[in-house]
């Protein structure tokens, strides 16, 4: 079996446009609180979720929008949920981090690492209630240091659960560079539990698709879980309005806002030793430097990469894009109309 690149692109484009529209709604104040987008993760999501079958389940992290959209969850109800409205997917009680769809056997959680146990539960239920079906677990590399995820991996192997663990490696967990808090290689860590682990380029939808195909085949045939490690960027930082990103994008304007409090933190009489406080300042400037570097390196856009491969049939490409653009416009106007 081979992936249909046009289908992959269509779903990735829809997800991207929907999240860009969500971003605009957030900036205009119609969505409150934090907003974590899955922009940058589309190839990982498309390569895995689009191979799910009827009765398969997925346990998601705080970036659940793209998997929900690609699994076919109604986008108007999703956006209404983000807006905290009673006609949202979860009656406006969950927000973008706590999404649930019984029909799609899909659940997300803002508790880092929680998708591991949830997916193990889905997979155990699959074995008993829906033989031949599987579960997917999505999480970031930061979650790989959470005990509950590692415990779930252990049991999944021991019980040979039909499960695929998908680790989306952005190299950052909020303001922590993951390499500074993570020992060893994550694929080796997963292998040490006794499951196969594959490292793939998470911006290459086809590469993800092939790796996921093999992992899902293994799970469906009762041979147990697998681990996929897929590097992918978060061009919008940890969440919308990410302060580190704001500084790197607009240093002159933003430094003005933070310089005062930073200088005050070093010069005030009370507090820790001056050495400790200047050390803290050094840490902040180092983080700004690393964010700038990461931004410069994060030029790989999964959507652009796939689009580049499809450009030879520009007519077909444009037809898909125009159709999706109209669809998203409809979604946004329906969601806002319900607001009025
Ligand atoms: C158990 C738990 N600890 C801490 C947090 C706060 N928190 C939210 S997102 C996040 C970083 C997660 O990093 P990663 O798993 O790599 O996912 P990413 O945000 O990079 O996609 C943290 C620490 C949380 N939500 N849950």
């Amino acid at each position: 079996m081979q992936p249909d690149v046009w289908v992959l692109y269509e779903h990735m484009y829809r997800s991207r446009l929907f999240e860009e529209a969500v971003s605009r709604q957030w900036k205009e104040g119609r969505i409150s609180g934090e907003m974590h987008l899955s922009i940058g993760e589309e190839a990982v999501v498309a390569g895995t979720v689009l191979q799910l079958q009827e009765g398969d389940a997925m346990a998601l992290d705080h970036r659940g929008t793209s998997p929900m959209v690609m699994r076919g969850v109604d986008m108007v109800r999703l956006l209404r949920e983000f807006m905290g409205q009673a006609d949202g997917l979860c009656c406006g009680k969950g927000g973008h981090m706590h999404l649930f769809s019984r029909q799609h056997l899909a659940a997300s959680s803002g508790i880092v690492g929680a998708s591991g146990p949830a997916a193990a539960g889905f997979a155990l239920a699959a074995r008993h209630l829906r033989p031949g079906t599987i579960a997917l677990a999505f999480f970031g590399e930061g979650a790989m240091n959470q005990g509950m995820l590692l415990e779930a991996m252990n049991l999944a192997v021991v019980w040979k659960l039909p499960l695929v663990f998908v680790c989306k490696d952005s190299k950052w967990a909020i303001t922590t560079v993951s390499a500074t808090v993570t020992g060893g290689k994550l694929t080796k860590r997963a292998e040490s539990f006794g499951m196969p682990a594959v490292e793939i380029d998470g911006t290459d939808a086809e590469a993800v698709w092939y790796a996921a195909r093999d992992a899902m085949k293994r799970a469906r045939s009762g041979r147990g879980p697998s681990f996929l490690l897929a590097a992918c960027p978060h061009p919008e930082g940890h969440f919308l309005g990410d302060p580190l990103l704001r500084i790197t994008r607009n240093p002159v304007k933003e430094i003005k806002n933070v310089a005062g409090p930073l200088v005050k933190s070093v010069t005030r009489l009370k507090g820790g030793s001056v050495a400790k406080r200047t050390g803290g300042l050094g840490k902040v400037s180092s983080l700004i430097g690393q964010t700038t570097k990461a931004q410069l390196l994060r030029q790989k856009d999964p959507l652009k990469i796939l689009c580049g491969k499809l450009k030879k049939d520009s007519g077909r490409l444009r037809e898909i894009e125009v159709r999706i653009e109209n669809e998203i416009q409809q979604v946004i106007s329906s969601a806002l109309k319900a607001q009025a």
Side-chain angles (χ1 to χ4, degrees):
M1 273 238 299
Q2 283 186 341
D4 182 332
V5 281
W6 292 98
V7 172
L8 288 173
Y9 185 73
E10 175 168 334
H11 282 268
M12 288 165 65
Y13 194 63
R14 179 181 293 107
S15 171
R16 174 69 60 92
L17 288 200
F18 179 64
E19 288 206 285
E20 284 176 352
V22 167
S23 167
R24 283 193 295 278
Q25 300 309 315
W26 183 86
K27 284 175 186 152
E28 285 167 17
R30 291 189 195 93
I31 299 172
S32 56
E34 293 176 356
M35 175 50 72
H36 308 84
L37 299 178
S38 15
I39 287 182
E41 298 184 352
E42 293 95 342
V44 182
V45 178
T48 52
V49 169
L50 297 180
Q51 297 191 68
L52 290 179
Q53 298 175 5
E54 180 81 25
D56 290 343
M58 49 183 204
L60 313 169
D61 61 7
H62 51 289
R63 302 187 193 277
T65 306
S66 182
M68 285 289 193
V69 169
M70 292 205 202
R71 194 71 174 123
V73 174
D74 184 274
M75 287 183 279
V76 175
R77 292 192 68 206
L78 271 176
L79 185 49
R80 296 291 292 164
E81 180 60 34
F82 300 169
M83 294 159 114
Q85 299 298 321
D87 56 356
L89 184 69
C90 306
C91 308
K93 307 270 188 212
H96 78 284
M97 279 195 267
H98 300 104
L99 302 168
F100 178 73
S101 171
R102 189 184 183 127
Q103 180 198 344
H104 299 88
L105 289 174
S108 75
S109 169
I111 308 296
V112 171
S115 58
F122 270 136
L124 190 61
R127 155 146 345 128
H128 290 293
L129 305 174
R130 301 177 296 277
T133 63
I134 62 163
L136 277 185
F138 281 101
F139 47 88
E141 84 294 342
M144 282 297 285
N145 294 324
Q146 274 289 345
M148 65 181 135
L149 176 59
L150 302 176
E151 290 175 41
M153 287 183 173
N154 178 53
L155 276 186
V157 170
V158 173
W159 292 346
K160 281 197 170 182
L161 293 180
L163 179 41
V164 180
F165 292 100
V166 183
C167 180
K168 303 162 294 165
D169 184 5
S170 69
K171 321 276 183 221
W172 285 75
I174 314 187
T175 49
T176 300
V177 176
S178 292
T180 62
V181 293
T182 306
K185 265 187 76 108
L186 293 182
T187 43
K188 288 255 181 307
R189 196 183 286 187
E191 276 167 0
S192 75
F193 285 111
M195 65 180 140
V198 183
E199 187 166 357
I200 31 175
D201 177 354
T203 61
D204 179 344
E206 289 176 275
V208 176
W209 193 95
Y210 283 113
R213 175 197 63 184
D214 296 344
M216 288 183 183
K217 193 171 167 197
R218 186 169 192 276
R220 274 189 215 290
S221 62
R223 283 178 288 149
S226 307
F227 177 83
L228 307 182
L229 178 64
C232 55
H234 286 154
E236 286 303 325
H238 179 69
F239 43 27
L240 283 177
D242 189 317
L244 274 177
L245 219 66
R246 282 212 310 264
I247 293 174
T248 57
R249 282 180 179 167
N250 204 343
V252 179
K253 181 170 166 250
E254 295 293 336
I255 290 280
K256 259 195 285 179
N257 300 330
V258 293
L262 283 177
V263 170
K264 211 166 150 193
S265 73
V266 179
T267 53
R268 71 200 283 264
L269 293 174
K270 287 183 183 166
S273 68
V274 174
K276 257 201 175 139
R277 285 187 269 155
T278 44
L281 205 59
K283 240 183 184 168
V284 172
S285 48
S286 154
L287 276 178
I288 294 172
Q290 289 183 76
T291 309
T292 311
K293 205 169 123 197
Q295 281 298 306
L296 292 174
L297 291 175
R298 274 183 197 155
Q299 298 305 336
K300 280 177 98 175
D301 178 342
L303 206 69
K304 280 196 187 142
I305 290 172
L306 192 53
C307 182
K309 294 182 186 174
L310 304 177
K311 275 209 170 113
K312 49 188 180 304
D313 193 345
S314 58
R316 186 172 177 188
L317 188 63
R318 200 60 211 129
E319 181 275 316
I320 290 174
E321 291 183 342
V322 169
R323 180 160 46 78
I324 305 287
E325 282 155 21
N326 289 335
E327 184 187 336
I328 297 299
Q329 245 172 30
Q330 282 289 323
V331 165
I332 304 305
S333 64
S334 299
L336 294 183
K337 216 180 279 162
Q339 183 91 331

